[in-house]
């Protein structure tokens, strides 16, 4: 998975042929460090300690400091096997999921204990850090640590950056029927579908954004082709334009994705992390200058 250039995509229009950036570090090239989009998860909003009082009617969008457009590509079935690692060129016989996210977000850090269980004797085990590729028989330990947990081991305690905010998402499921398909470009995917080298489906959704105009703007694509992709991009551009219309648009912060800091893309670990995050609301404290001290229609402040 890699990042799309933000410039030229923030409008979510005219971007069907935008290429991907190359990884910016040797670590990203050698490992699977990546952005992983998630189905939206609930958030509980808390006032940051030490921040001065803010107006109670400050909106969620004013409290979110970052804008980004990200694309995530993963193999979900086929000859290549399931992986969340970087994929750009789709090959015949495989199914891929291409997710384009525009997110207005902040990052909150959640601590996990993540490692392999290694037997010491018949009754006891020790936890070792994960290094490199895991074997199917490895027993894994993935545990979300309490916020007030004071212990910290650089070997097995891992900080997972969690993206909290709102956004827009376009997800294409692509079956490569023959040859190769450039998955880094929506235009290339559409051309492959038109040339009968690929087929698939398209999903358009909002992340924490709702309202009558928003619902009316969501298209109902029945198939994946150049027309449905272009209509979806135009629809997301229309929704983006009304995000700040507080009279008609409801905005609620959600968990929209995570960053994988581990040197592995093993789905067992990723699924366990997501399961732990979904078990209870993710706490988020807006930066100073963000939300006020009372609740409003855009969030819950405890």
């Amino acid at each position: 998975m890699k990042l799309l250039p933000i410039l030229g995509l923030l409008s979510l229009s005219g971007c069907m042929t935008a290429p991907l950036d190359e990884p910016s570090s040797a670590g990203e090239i050698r490992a699977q460090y990546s952005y992983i989009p998630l189905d939206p998860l609930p958030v509980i909003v808390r006032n940051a300690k030490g921040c001065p009082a803010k107006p109670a009617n400050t909106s969620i969008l004013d409290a979110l400091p970052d804008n980004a457009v990200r694309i995530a590509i993963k193999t979900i079935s086929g000859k290549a096997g399931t992986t969340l690692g970087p994929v750009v060129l789709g090959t015949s016989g495989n199914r891929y999921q291409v997710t384009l996210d525009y997110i207005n977000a902040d990052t909150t850090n959640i601590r996990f204990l993540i490692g392999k269980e290694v037997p010491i004797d018949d009754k006891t085990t020790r936890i070792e850090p994960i290094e490199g590729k895991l074997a199917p028989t490895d027993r894994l330990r993935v545990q979300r640590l309490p916020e007030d947990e004071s212990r910290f081991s650089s070997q097995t305690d891992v900080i997972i950056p969690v993206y909290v905010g709102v956004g827009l998402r376009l997800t294409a499921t692509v079956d490569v029927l023959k040859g190769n398909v450039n998955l880094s470009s929506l235009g290339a995917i559409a051309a492959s579908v038109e040339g009968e080298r690929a087929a698939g489906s398209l999903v358009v959704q909002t992340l924490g954004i709702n309202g009558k105009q928003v619902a009316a703007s969501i298209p109902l694509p029945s198939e994946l082709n150049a027309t449905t992709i272009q209509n979806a991009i135009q629809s997301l551009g229309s929704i983006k334009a009304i995000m700040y219309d507080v009279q008609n648009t409801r905005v609620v912060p959600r968990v929209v994705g995570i960053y994988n800091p581990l040197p592995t893309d093993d789905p067992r670990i990723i699924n366990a992390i997501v399961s732990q995050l979904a078990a209870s609301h993710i706490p988020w404290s807006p930066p100073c200058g963000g939300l006020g001290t009372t609740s409003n229609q855009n969030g819950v402040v405890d």
Side-chain angles (χ1 to χ4, degrees), residues 107-161:
T107 304
T108 186
N109 296 322
I110 306 296
R111 293 177 57 210
F112 280 81
L113 183 153
I114 300 177
K116 295 189 296 184
E117 292 188 359
V118 178
I120 298 175
D121 52 41
D122 292 340
K123 296 182 179 180
T124 59
T125 61
R126 68 176 183 271
I127 307 298
E128 292 186 352
I130 292 172
E131 297 177 353
K133 189 174 180 62
L134 292 167
T137 55
D138 284 337
R139 295 184 61 182
L140 306 177
R141 173 81 66 85
V142 178
Q143 178 183 345
R144 180 175 165 182
L145 297 175
E147 293 179 64
D148 58 355
E149 176 66 70
S150 59
R151 64 177 288 276
F152 187 88
S153 166
S154 60
Q155 298 298 309
T156 58
D157 287 17
V158 179
I159 300 295
I160 302 294

Side-chain angles (χ1 to χ4, degrees), residues 128-297:
E128 292 186 352
I130 292 172
E131 297 177 353
K133 189 174 180 62
L134 292 167
T137 55
D138 284 337
R139 295 184 61 182
L140 306 177
R141 173 81 66 85
V142 178
Q143 178 183 345
R144 180 175 165 182
L145 297 175
E147 293 179 64
D148 58 355
E149 176 66 70
S150 59
R151 64 177 288 276
F152 187 88
S153 166
S154 60
Q155 298 298 309
T156 58
D157 287 17
V158 179
I159 300 295
I160 302 294
V162 177
Y163 296 99
V164 173
V166 299
L168 307 167
R169 176 172 294 168
L170 187 156
T171 303
T173 300
V174 182
D175 292 302
V176 180
L177 306 178
K178 57 184 177 181
N180 297 324
V181 174
N182 178 9
L183 300 173
S184 67
S185 163
L186 293 177
I189 292 173
S192 297
V193 172
E194 296 291 333
E196 299 184 346
R197 290 186 292 114
S201 59
L202 192 66
V203 175
V204 180
Q205 69 182 113
T206 62
L207 311 171
I209 304 172
N210 204 357
K212 290 183 179 180
Q213 288 180 279
V214 173
S217 298
I218 293 289
L220 300 173
S222 58
E223 58 182 333
L224 179 65
N225 56 45
T227 300
T228 57
I229 288 176
Q230 187 62 45
N231 289 343
I233 292 172
Q234 291 175 349
S235 168
L236 295 181
S238 299
I239 295 171
K240 182 175 178 290
I242 60 174
M243 281 173 55
Y244 286 87
D245 181 2
V246 296
Q247 300 299 321
N248 299 297
T249 305
R250 185 168 183 261
V251 178
V252 177
R254 309 279 277 169
V255 171
V256 298
I258 61 174
Y259 179 81
N260 176 21
L262 300 167
T264 178
D265 62 351
D266 193 295
R268 293 174 294 170
I269 292 181
I270 303 302
N271 291 338
I273 291 173
V274 174
S275 177
Q276 294 267 319
L277 291 175
S280 60
H281 286 39
I282 304 302
W284 171 58
S285 297
C288 288
L291 294 179
T293 56
T294 61
S295 63
N296 57 45
Q297 67 167 348

Side-chain angles (χ1 to χ4, degrees), residues 33 36 48 54 74 76 80 82 95 101 120 158 171 202 207-208 213 252 288 301:
Y33 307 149
I36 300 174
K54 279 82 65 176
K74 74 174 181 180
I76 55 178
T82 301
R95 172 175 291 181
D101 274 1
I120 298 175
V158 179
T171 303
L202 192 66
L207 311 171
Q213 288 180 279
V252 177
C288 288
V301 179

